[in-house]
Amino acid sequence: LGIAECLESLGLLRARQAPDTAARLLGAAVGLRRLTGTATSVVLQHAEAAELQRSNAEAWLAGERMSSEEASVFAAEMAGGREEAAVEHEPAAKKTRSEPN
């Protein structure tokens, strides 16, 4: 349930800036809630979520079809987690000839 709540919160935060992304995140929240047998109405009670379900149906359905792992990765990418991870794993810059050994 914690992942679904995080997806819901992130989706609501992105609703105005990136409606397609928000719909996918909120759809994923609903999909995970269905998988765990928890109420989906808590997501749809938000006016923004209900509107995005109607106006961005394709993205919403794509979110609903995501696995828990896929939704987590997508959310991390949208929150900038992937960019930070890429910087951490970036190879050290190669020395040029002018640098001392």
Side-chain angles (χ1 to χ4, degrees):
L1 186 59
I3 294 172
E5 290 172 337
C6 290
L7 293 168
E8 178 185 350
S9 296
L10 186 56
L12 290 170
L13 287 171
R14 306 272 310 191
R16 292 181 191 222
Q17 300 166 321
D20 196 60
T21 298
R24 190 175 296 246
L25 290 164
L26 291 164
V30 167
L32 289 178
R33 284 178 172 278
R34 280 194 186 120
L35 285 174
T36 58
T38 55
T40 60
S41 60
V42 296
V43 177
L44 297 171
Q45 73 184 3
H46 298 283
E48 299 94 332
E51 175 58 31
L52 286 168
Q53 186 184 33
R54 285 188 297 275
S55 63
N56 297 70
E58 190 174 317
W60 186 284
L61 291 173
E64 282 191 31
R65 291 189 295 263
M66 287 183 176
S67 69
S68 175
E69 184 177 337
E70 290 169 330
S72 296
V73 168
F74 182 70
E77 288 173 353
M78 296 304 102
R82 185 171 188 176
E83 292 173 6
E84 292 169 8
V87 171
E88 289 175 12
H89 293 95
E90 196 172 297
K94 294 180 181 179
K95 291 183 180 181
T96 62
R97 290 186 184 164
S98 63
E99 291 179 309
N101 290 333

